[in-house]
Amino acid sequence: MNLVKIIAEKLGVDEKLITRPPKPEMGDYSLPCFVFAKERKVSPDVIMKEFEEKITDDPMFEPCNKVGAYLNFVLNKEYVGKMLMQSLKNISYPNIGNYKVVAIDYCSVNLAKYLHIGHFTTTIIGESLARICEALGYKVIRINYVGDYGTPFGKMVVAYKLWGNREEIEKRGVDAIQELYVKFCANENEELLEKARYASSQIEKKSGTEYEIYKWIIEVTIEETRRLISRMGITFDDWRGESTYNDKMEPILEEIRLAGLSKVENGATIIDMNDYNLGVCVLKRSDGASLYVTRDLAAVEDRYNLYHFDEMLYVTASQQNSHFAKLFKICELLNKPYADKLKHISYGMFSLPEGKIASRKGKQALFQDILNEAENEALEVVKNRPLSEEKKQEISKSVALSAISFSILKVDRIKDKVFDLKKAVSFDGETGPYIQYTFARCNSLIKKYLERYSFKDDKVPEITQTAFTALKHLADRESTILLSKEKYEPSIISRYLLDLCQIFNSYYNETKIITDSEEESAGRINLVRIIKNVLEHDMKLVMIGPIDEM
């Protein structure tokens, strides 16, 4: 039930005008009457009186409060509280997607290299958006556009041929491959570089032993990458990388040429985009090498033909804003049917306090090191709890992932974030584990209730101020999720869940949920059940796993 929508309909106004007063004691909702007064050239008092008359006999409202030119509506807690308890019994999502296709390009790992801290942000934001879209009825295509093309792979092939050992790579995976790559770079000279260029050309032609070694390295590393990604509970639909489009770029280059958009300058194929304040876009270098934008043009054409998407989201750092502005503009200039369906979901940087997590490989903290360290830290937090060792391990893994994910998703995506591990795994404060703990508390209360009583679905709790605050907040759930999708901003849901947990814990501290009165307990536990149900549904949208007990 959307209270704002109901109030707006009763008043005959746009629901966007209905807001919350700055202080709860002023009322539940507010309407700026000066907006209408200015239009009609009358006093705000005239407008206020007209709106008051519309709801005079409505049992939903108490007498209004007037603050300046604002009319503040006070809801009848008993009447509205019962309405909300009834409407919130069944939790679901509005189907606005109607099975439209949303393709999301995120994670985008470079194969044969380590996943590092930078991959967390794209992966977690992308997956959260995927879950939000799925919940709202969209068909989601998860794309991991892997980096599997370029000179580094030629170097890796040469390094393997000179110093590599097949058994060692199959045993140690990316660790062994990276050591070979580092050895190549340490010994790099013109002779080695010439061999690497030859290997790269063989890979491009899909020819010779070099190509066979390359394919094998890709197989080994993509398997290891899948394993790491699966630790986060994520599965991609499309793992095709840059190499897929190596032989598919000429048609798009020809299309651009025939449209009169490109020209050759100093041997390079370019588009002058200065008229759009986008500078110059290089499609092909003078040595014939293609660039990211050319492969992305081929990729988006292929994806549209394959998936017929209604939206195509690219989840990458804000440093790539210029790249995507050029890509989207070229699609628009080519009159592509998908030009207005492309969106860059940019985000700020995610970093660690200096020296907080030691990486095995240099300064850049690695994906698996952070996950492992978070799991160890979470295990420390739960080690003294009266649970089986198996349960402690299960909880520590869930807490670790929730801690990392929520550190990213609780903040506006465009803002930079610093990940403090000890704070993130805490069950206090604005953390993922705090939400998990609140869910477990709800679950524990329900179990204790059922040891004494049975559910009575028709019972309503006393509508105290805190209970009413909880119900009003629960009534905002649907509009919150819709706004999160509209703005591609998971933090809106994250903040909503944090607020819900804080309201619930206030209610828990003020109210004895299970008493010697079955009638009294039944109403109170029904509110707890609603809160638990909402948490169980929506915490997954922001990458938090429900934990039944702690």
Side-chain angles (χ1 to χ4, degrees):
M1 177 183 287
N2 187 330
L3 285 177
V4 171
K5 188 175 182 179
I6 291 170
I7 294 168
E9 286 175 354
K10 287 177 181 287
L11 298 173
V13 302
D14 187 336
E15 62 185 89
K16 291 178 182 176
L17 291 172
I18 307 288
T19 60
R20 292 272 174 86
K23 296 178 182 177
E25 58 268 26
M26 291 180 173
D28 296 297
Y29 294 95
S30 184
L31 181 69
C33 292
F34 59 82
V35 174
F36 305 95
K38 187 176 180 181
E39 279 181 7
R40 291 171 51 189
K41 296 182 173 57
V42 296
S43 165
D45 289 333
V46 173
I47 303 297
M48 289 184 188
K49 186 177 179 182
E50 290 177 1
F51 282 128
E52 281 185 291
E53 288 173 354
K54 286 187 177 185
I55 59 170
T56 298
D57 299 320
D58 194 318
M60 185 173 168
F61 298 94
E62 300 283 1
C64 297
N65 293 328
K66 298 174 184 176
V67 180
Y70 285 86
L71 185 63
N72 293 341
F73 302 97
V74 180
L75 301 180
N76 181 316
K77 288 199 288 288
E78 287 295 323
Y79 182 85
V80 175
K82 288 177 181 177
M83 279 173 52
L84 291 172
M85 284 293 295
Q86 182 64 34
S87 70
L88 291 164
K89 282 182 181 178
N90 298 310
I91 300 299
S92 61
Y93 297 101
N95 182 358
I96 63 165
N98 199 24
Y99 222 56
K100 290 177 182 173
V101 177
V102 178
I104 310 180
D105 179 333
Y106 61 109
C107 190
S108 301
V109 301
N110 290 311
L111 295 181
K113 291 187 179 181
Y114 292 112
L115 275 78
H116 55 76
I117 186 171
H119 289 106
F120 271 118
T121 316
T122 171
T123 305
I124 288 166
I125 292 174
E127 179 61 21
S128 179
L129 290 172
R131 294 180 183 191
I132 292 165
C133 288
E134 281 179 331
L136 293 173
Y138 293 90
K139 179 183 178 182
V140 174
I141 307 296
R142 292 168 167 83
I143 299 172
N144 194 346
Y145 184 46
V146 296
D148 60 353
Y149 180 80
T151 308
F153 290 97
K155 293 180 178 180
M156 287 174 197
V157 167
V158 171
Y160 173 75
K161 291 179 77 173
L162 291 172
W163 310 297
N165 178 293
R166 189 178 184 94
E167 287 181 11
E168 186 74 4
I169 287 177
E170 288 182 341
K171 180 182 177 182
R172 296 178 55 234
V174 174
D175 278 345
I177 293 167
Q178 275 292 289
E179 285 171 10
L180 288 172
Y181 183 71
V182 169
K183 188 172 183 177
F184 181 99
C185 294
N187 292 278
E188 193 171 279
N189 56 41
E190 191 52 43
E191 183 184 351
L192 280 179
L193 286 172
E194 185 55 41
K195 288 181 178 180
R197 282 191 284 269
Y198 174 75
S200 295
S201 69
Q202 290 293 89
I203 292 168
E204 199 168 317
K205 294 173 188 173
K206 301 181 180 180
S207 175
T209 56
E210 291 81 6
Y211 180 63
E212 295 305 315
I213 294 168
Y214 158 80
K215 280 200 304 180
W216 170 64
I217 288 174
I218 293 298
E219 286 170 11
V220 170
T221 55
I222 207 164
E223 189 57 39
E224 188 165 336
T225 302
R226 284 181 197 272
R227 179 181 56 77
L228 274 174
I229 296 297
S230 70
R231 285 178 67 179
M232 301 179 71
I234 299 171
T235 305
F236 284 95
D237 303 297
D238 188 335
W239 282 81
R240 294 176 306 150
E242 294 178 56
S243 65
T244 306
Y245 303 103
N246 185 46
D247 57 355
K248 295 178 174 63
M249 288 178 285
E250 285 307 318
I252 195 75
L253 288 170
E254 181 64 6
E255 185 179 352
I256 291 169
R257 185 187 70 79
L258 291 173
L261 298 177
S262 64
K263 61 182 177 181
V264 176
E265 199 169 271
N266 298 322
T269 304
I270 67 165
I271 300 178
D272 185 342
M273 306 186 79
N274 281 299
D275 286 349
Y276 312 104
N277 296 316
L278 293 172
V280 172
C281 179
V282 181
L283 300 173
K284 200 177 198 180
R285 290 203 309 248
S286 57
D287 62 2
S290 61
L291 282 88
Y292 285 120
V293 70
T294 323
R295 285 193 287 277
D296 279 353
L297 285 164
V300 70
E301 180 84 1
D302 172 63
R303 291 167 182 174
Y304 185 71
N305 291 334
L306 184 61
Y307 299 124
H308 309 291
F309 57 74
D310 297 281
E311 290 181 67
M312 174 75 236
L313 311 182
Y314 296 86
V315 185
T316 73
S318 56
Q319 287 90 331
Q320 295 197 41
N321 285 352
S322 175
H323 167 80
F324 284 104
K326 290 174 182 176
L327 175 68
F328 298 170
K329 191 65 183 179
I330 293 169
C331 292
E332 179 190 328
L333 293 171
L334 290 172
N335 293 316
K336 292 295 183 182
Y338 47 78
D340 61 348
K341 304 176 190 293
L342 312 177
K343 296 177 180 68
H344 179 209
I345 311 301
S346 59
Y347 56 79
M349 302 313 294
F350 183 55
S351 59
L352 298 169
E354 190 67 32
K356 286 287 185 180
I357 297 179
S359 171
R360 292 172 296 116
K361 303 289 175 184
K363 292 182 179 178
Q364 201 163 34
L366 303 187
F367 196 94
Q368 61 184 340
D369 291 340
I370 297 171
L371 264 179
N372 292 341
E373 190 75 15
E375 286 179 10
N376 292 336
E377 194 70 37
L379 194 56
E380 279 294 308
V381 174
V382 301
K383 69 178 182 182
N384 294 322
R385 295 180 184 268
L387 301 166
S388 68
E389 286 306 310
E390 184 181 354
K391 190 69 176 176
K392 288 176 186 176
Q393 290 288 339
E394 178 190 323
I395 289 173
S396 68
K397 290 179 188 299
S398 181
V399 166
L401 181 56
S402 297
I404 296 168
S405 300
F406 203 69
S407 295
I408 292 167
L409 297 177
K410 73 178 180 181
V411 182
D412 291 356
R413 58 179 163 79
I414 201 61
K415 291 182 179 177
D416 293 341
K417 301 112 185 148
V418 177
F419 176 59
D420 188 315
L421 181 55
K422 285 194 180 296
K423 287 182 181 177
V425 299
S426 171
F427 292 115
D428 297 315
E430 298 185 342
T431 67
Y434 171 68
I435 293 174
Q436 290 177 303
Y437 182 78
T438 303
F439 177 81
R441 174 174 275 178
C442 289
N443 205 51
S444 174
L445 283 167
I446 292 166
K447 282 184 177 179
K448 287 177 182 175
Y449 173 87
L450 290 173
E451 289 170 5
R452 295 179 64 178
Y453 308 121
S454 299
F455 290 137
K456 295 180 182 296
D457 291 343
D458 61 325
K459 295 300 175 184
V460 174
E462 313 92 301
I463 308 298
T464 63
Q465 186 57 51
T466 307
F468 193 52
T469 300
L471 287 166
K472 284 193 296 178
H473 192 69
L474 289 162
D476 289 340
R477 172 181 174 267
E478 182 176 303
S479 60
T480 298
I481 295 169
L482 291 173
L483 184 63
S484 180
K485 163 62 177 70
E486 180 188 329
K487 294 184 176 295
Y488 304 99
E489 186 58 84
S491 69
I492 294 171
I493 295 173
S494 299
R495 300 302 312 179
Y496 173 85
L497 293 175
L498 274 176
D499 290 344
L500 178 60
C501 289
Q502 288 163 357
I503 295 166
F504 165 76
N505 284 306
S506 294
Y507 181 69
Y508 172 81
N509 290 326
E510 292 172 9
T511 311
K512 187 173 175 59
I513 308 295
I514 304 166
T515 69
D516 291 333
S517 166
E518 184 173 3
E519 297 293 302
E520 186 176 63
S521 303
R524 293 173 182 178
I525 206 67
N526 281 343
L527 178 55
V528 175
R529 289 167 68 194
I530 291 169
I531 292 170
K532 181 211 164 186
N533 201 5
V534 167
L535 288 175
E536 190 166 17
H537 274 73
D538 298 344
M539 57 203 288
K540 296 172 188 174
L541 301 182
V542 287
M543 305 288 286
I544 302 175
I547 294 176
D548 290 340
E549 59 179 335
M550 279 194 181

